Amino acid sequence: VQELGIRGNVEPADLEFVLHACDNAIVQLRGMLSLLRSDETPRDLAGEPVRTLDEECRAAVDRLAEHGFAAEYQQYGATDAVPSPVQWALAGTCREAVSNIVKHGDARSPVTLSLEVDTDAGETRLAFFNQISAHHHPSNHTALGLIGIRERVEAIGGRLYTSRSGQQWMTMACLPNRVATATPAEDPAP
């Protein structure tokens, strides 16, 4: 803290949160720029190919296990037909949800991650169900992660649901399997 010239009462956990949020934002921006370049494979900051949605979900289970959580991944439907922007938004949602679970969850309780591609309803749903730690105390900062997820999901016509019942927490993102594309405005006749 002193090296950074920050004054006042700053907790190391708060700085870690800010650093993690910045790292996440940079990776997401880099990935979005890569998606805009249709002739390139999307890459992260390290130059590695960005994971598919299914790979991201499987990596989420591994990351949760590294932090002592028993996690189960359930996938319904194939992700190949899910548009890239939807996959990208859900992959970011997945990463942020895992961060929230690691930070606030109870590792003694199982975590369920469910990915459902519903072609009949025309949407893809990603949901996390977990227990909140009994020792969890709301922090002084706003829920920037959830705000970022909501903005990312709503930007392409999706919805984010979060709910708490006792110590049970649910985060679910629902996105359309079709992303509206802007059509160029026609030039008015002279």
Side-chain angles (χ1 to χ4, degrees):
V1 173
Q2 291 173 344
E3 293 172 7
L4 298 175
I6 299 173
R7 296 181 188 159
N9 188 13
V10 178
E11 295 293 323
D14 290 334
L15 285 178
E16 267 185 54
F17 172 80
V18 170
L19 289 172
H20 174 72
C22 290
D23 285 344
N24 234 356
I26 290 169
V27 168
Q28 291 174 25
L29 286 171
R30 182 71 169 230
M32 284 189 284
L33 288 172
S34 294
L35 284 174
L36 293 173
R37 299 180 190 116
S38 60
D39 61 336
E40 289 184 21
T41 300
R43 301 198 175 274
D44 66 14
L45 259 184
E48 296 297 317
V50 174
R51 294 182 186 127
T52 66
L53 178 56
D54 182 55
E55 291 169 338
E56 194 67 56
C57 290
R58 292 180 192 287
V61 170
D62 293 343
R63 181 162 177 234
L64 287 166
E66 289 170 6
H67 290 277
F69 290 85
E72 177 185 5
Y73 173 45
Q74 305 165 346
Q75 182 180 336
Y76 307 96
T79 59
D80 353 351
V82 178
S84 294
V86 172
Q87 288 200 35
W88 179 252
L90 289 172
T93 299
C94 187
R95 286 188 299 274
E96 188 58 45
V98 168
S99 293
N100 287 343
I101 291 168
V102 168
K103 188 172 184 179
H104 306 294
D106 183 351
R108 296 170 300 170
S109 300
V111 176
T112 301
L113 162 56
S114 174
L115 175 65
E116 182 178 4
V117 180
D118 188 340
T119 53
D120 293 335
E123 72 177 11
T124 299
R125 293 179 287 278
L126 175 67
F128 283 85
F129 301 91
N130 66 286
Q131 295 285 322
I132 298 172
S133 170
H135 304 293
H136 167 69
H137 300 288
S139 61
N140 293 335
H141 58 76
T142 57
L144 295 177
L146 288 175
I147 291 169
I149 292 172
R150 185 174 309 282
E151 289 171 349
R152 181 184 306 114
V153 165
E154 290 177 352
I156 56 176
R159 301 168 318 279
L160 177 70
Y161 301 99
T162 58
S163 69
R164 179 177 179 172
S165 176
Q167 293 303 107
Q168 180 70 35
W169 180 261
M170 185 267 309
T171 303
M172 180 168 45
C174 302
L175 284 100
N177 287 338
R178 258 205 268 143
V179 178
T181 55
T183 55
E186 293 182 26
D187 290 334

